Amino acid sequence: MPMRTLWSLLVLLALAATPALAQQPVYHDIHSMDMPRPPVVTPGTATNETIAPPSDAIVLFDGTDLSNWVSQREGNGPAEWIVRDGYMEVAPGMGGIQTKQTFGDVQLHIEWASPEVIEGDGQGRGNSGVFFMNTYEVQVLDVYENDTYPDGQATAIYGQHIPLANAMRPRGEWQSYDIVFRRPHFDDDGNVITPARFTVFHNGVVTQDAVYAVGPTSHKKRTPYKAHADALPLGLQDHSNPVRFRNIWIREL
């Protein structure tokens, strides 16, 4: 589908939804520093207690090993990130990792923490990403008193949708994402019928409300949809920052 037609479809979908069900699209230059910043919201009190997965969840990481993950480097060998003290940590330069299992429509719970020691700023501080179907990214970034382009901050649908709020806890503390992802649907000719859709909670605060992805995640460009399988792996990004992850579970919808 041509991008102009896709944008028209997204506008119609957004206008057809009630305000309670979908946030309105915001048109802007990708990664513009002139975009309005989301309001800062102080989330509920942080706790070191993790949320136990429900009975029907698939536990992707329980703090002990990476047996459910493989490397994204050529050959998809064993995941080479660091596991210790109940969390996994990005091993900078070792590449991203992805699940062995493939998924389509899901509910995902994932907790992460940026390094306590401040290094870098903007996109260079606590940067990683959660990639659904290895294609559509929810941004991971330390934006606690750290300015960056709003469509690239924590819980942004990277390069596409600015979060409704910045619910970041201080660096070093655990953050939680709860995400409902609906996969895109394609017709027999490979044209997108229904775009991918996200609802995201950051530390219990809704930051993306049933927003439609305009296409695969790209940097500083709009990439059109391309038909793909109904189920693909979930990926975590190596962006050269030692971000930590724990308590990762998923429910198929």
Side-chain angles (χ1 to χ4, degrees):
M1 179 183 295
M3 286 304 296
R4 183 179 298 275
T5 303
L6 177 57
W7 270 110
S8 299
L9 172 62
L10 293 175
V11 171
L12 289 173
L13 288 169
L15 293 176
T18 64
L21 294 178
Q23 67 199 64
Q24 299 301 307
V26 177
Y27 301 102
H28 52 75
D29 292 331
I30 301 172
H31 305 332
S32 171
M33 291 296 287
D34 296 328
M35 288 184 283
R37 273 49 175 174
V40 175
V41 174
T42 302
T45 303
T47 174
N48 284 326
E49 296 296 325
T50 60
I51 299 174
S55 61
D56 63 346
I58 299 167
V59 177
L60 297 175
F61 179 69
D62 65 1
T64 60
D65 61 58
L66 294 173
S67 58
N68 293 314
W69 302 79
V70 295
S71 172
Q72 290 183 332
R73 296 200 294 179
E74 186 176 357
N76 296 129
E80 298 178 278
W81 287 12
I82 300 163
V83 177
R84 62 186 171 205
D85 299 330
Y87 61 81
M88 68 164 90
E89 181 176 295
V90 177
M94 300 306 292
I97 62 174
Q98 67 186 43
T99 57
K100 293 179 179 178
Q101 190 168 345
T102 60
F103 302 98
D105 294 341
V106 294
Q107 172 191 345
L108 175 72
H109 176 85
I110 187 168
E111 298 169 20
W112 64 274
S114 60
E116 293 184 24
V117 178
I118 298 174
E119 293 183 1
D121 55 18
Q123 292 289 300
R125 184 183 297 180
N127 193 327
S128 183
V130 182
F131 279 80
F132 290 81
M133 310 191 89
N134 264 342
T135 305
Y136 312 98
E137 181 187 14
V138 176
Q139 173 78 323
V140 168
L141 189 75
D142 175 7
V143 288
Y144 185 79
E145 299 178 349
N146 176 39
D147 192 28
T148 188
Y149 42 82
D151 61 354
Q153 77 160 63
T155 73
I157 310 306
Y158 187 78
Q160 299 183 22
H161 291 285
I162 301 168
L164 294 171
N166 176 353
M168 193 79 183
R169 293 190 174 117
R171 61 192 55 86
E173 294 188 12
W174 286 100
Q175 318 286 331
S176 68
Y177 281 4
D178 289 281
I179 303 168
V180 175
F181 171 77
R182 294 291 184 176
R183 70 173 180 86
H185 290 253
F186 302 92
D187 64 20
D188 292 339
D189 295 322
N191 300 307
V192 64
I193 300 172
T194 306
R197 189 173 74 218
F198 288 92
T199 296
V200 182
F201 288 81
H202 181 192
N203 294 328
V205 177
V206 64
T207 57
Q208 299 289 353
D209 186 6
V211 296
Y212 290 92
V214 302
T217 296
S218 298
H219 183 59
K220 292 188 176 180
K221 63 180 179 180
R222 302 285 185 207
T223 300
Y225 276 97
K226 183 178 181 180
H228 54 64
D230 293 346
L232 290 167
L234 177 81
L236 298 178
Q237 184 184 37
D238 171 11
H239 202 279
S240 300
N241 295 163
V243 179
R244 299 172 178 177
F245 295 92
R246 71 177 186 183
N247 193 25
I248 307 173
W249 50 262
I250 198 165
R251 297 179 63 248
E252 296 182 291
L253 301 177

